[in-house]
Amino acid sequence: MVQDILFFASKIFWLFARPNTFALLLLAIGLALLWRGRRWGRWPALLGFGWYAAVLLTPLAAWVTLPLEDRFPRPSAPERVDGIVILGGAVETKLTEGRGIPSLNGAAERMTETVALARRYPQARIVFSGGSGLAIPGLLTEAEVARRLWESLGLEGERVIYEDRSRNTWENATETHALLNPRAEENWLLVTSASHMPRSMGCFRRAGWRITAWPVNYSTQPGGAGWFDPPLSMRLGQAEWAVREFVGLVAYYLLGRTSALFPAP
């Protein structure tokens, strides 16, 4: 019950707190107040406009994303891997339902990297963790979409396991640990987006895993080079995602889901 309340509370909070939406709301309120002759409306208008201007004219998106993506560097490939955990978030369940074919989003490298790792380590167990992170889930879980995709690519068999109950990163860690009960001597890899890795590693460690970060899906170049190359829409999404991760890190730390505010190697 508590987990359900926290899950829905997080959805409602982020619906209004996401920076792009909040900035647009401030801008609209400020302009409405100015139109009605309220001079103090310039402050919310300036704040809302300032967010978009900062993302457009400065490397803000790269600045807030780099600390997340650089926190867990990609290690050299280990000689032995017993299992690989892949976190959901890379598939689109609604589009898959509507179109009838597996649909991926910008985090697709989580899925493609898994196929490469499965070929490199043919004895390793492959574990996809993801139910539905939607407040109102559809007919398909992320795990079912992953199954359809990987089977079409030849990745199937008893070593491929699907965890379809988790709704967020904390549940990814706890549900998958309960399903597999990994032994301390086993060598596991955790595959997720580089910017999502600090929170993910914090949760998995808290849940009792001994696991190695294997980040994918980078959105920044080393040192923040080329920050002006992506179009504004992509930079807005990048900045908003990074803010979401930092908010998530604070929230998870306060809830006891991680043992460190900013988990590190």
Side-chain angles (χ1 to χ4, degrees):
M1 179 61 73
V2 174
Q3 295 284 6
D4 292 337
I5 293 173
L6 290 173
F7 172 74
F8 286 107
S10 69
K11 294 297 179 183
I12 294 171
F13 169 78
W14 190 246
L15 180 65
F16 298 99
R18 51 191 306 172
N20 296 333
T21 302
F22 189 63
L24 186 61
L25 182 62
L26 284 176
L27 183 58
I29 291 173
L31 292 176
L33 289 170
L34 288 171
W35 182 72
R36 293 179 62 86
R38 305 292 196 271
R39 294 184 60 187
W40 59 271
R42 65 182 182 273
W43 298 115
L46 284 172
L47 284 172
F49 176 77
W51 166 258
Y52 291 104
V55 175
L56 174 65
L57 301 174
T58 75
L60 177 65
W63 286 343
V64 294
T65 304
L66 275 170
L68 294 165
E69 294 194 338
D70 289 346
R71 192 65 166 175
F72 284 85
R74 181 77 166 259
S76 3
E79 292 184 6
R80 178 182 62 86
V81 170
D82 298 293
I84 304 162
V85 178
I86 303 90
L87 300 192
V91 302
E92 297 289 343
T93 55
K94 294 289 189 180
L95 275 176
T96 302
E97 285 180 23
R99 293 296 183 178
I101 58 174
S103 178
L104 302 178
N105 57 33
E109 285 179 33
R110 302 187 194 186
M111 310 303 288
T112 56
E113 180 72 4
T114 301
V115 177
L117 288 171
R119 291 173 177 169
R120 180 182 295 174
Y121 303 107
Q123 304 305 316
R125 285 177 286 173
I126 310 297
V127 187
F128 180 90
S129 177
S132 176
L134 302 174
I136 303 176
L139 298 174
L140 294 179
T141 62
E142 292 193 56
E144 178 57 29
V145 179
R147 183 195 304 274
R148 295 183 184 185
L149 173 68
W150 285 342
E151 286 182 353
S152 71
L153 297 173
L155 181 56
E156 53 190 334
E158 293 183 357
R159 72 171 178 139
V160 187
I161 303 166
Y162 298 91
E163 181 282 304
D164 62 1
R165 293 169 53 87
S166 57
R167 300 170 295 181
N168 53 38
T169 309
W170 173 244
E171 292 180 4
N172 287 146
T174 55
E175 293 287 346
T176 309
H177 191 277
L179 177 65
L180 299 171
N181 193 24
R183 298 190 301 272
E185 67 272 15
E186 291 181 332
N187 189 23
W188 285 81
L189 299 182
L190 178 61
V191 177
T192 190
S193 301
S195 58
H196 184 49
M197 190 60 79
R199 186 155 58 103
S200 301
M201 286 296 291
C203 289
F204 272 72
R205 288 170 175 171
R206 192 67 165 179
W209 285 86
R210 290 183 67 254
I211 199 164
T212 300
W214 193 264
V216 295
N217 192 43
Y218 289 89
S219 64
T220 59
Q221 296 188 36
W227 65 268
F228 194 70
D229 295 337
L232 176 61
S233 59
M234 292 184 64
R235 276 180 278 150
L236 285 169
Q238 180 187 46
E240 185 170 87
W241 174 268
V243 171
R244 178 179 181 271
E245 282 303 314
F246 280 114
V247 170
L249 282 165
V250 173
Y252 273 31
Y253 180 69
L254 294 176
L255 290 169
R257 294 176 173 180
T258 64
S259 56
L261 184 59
F262 195 25

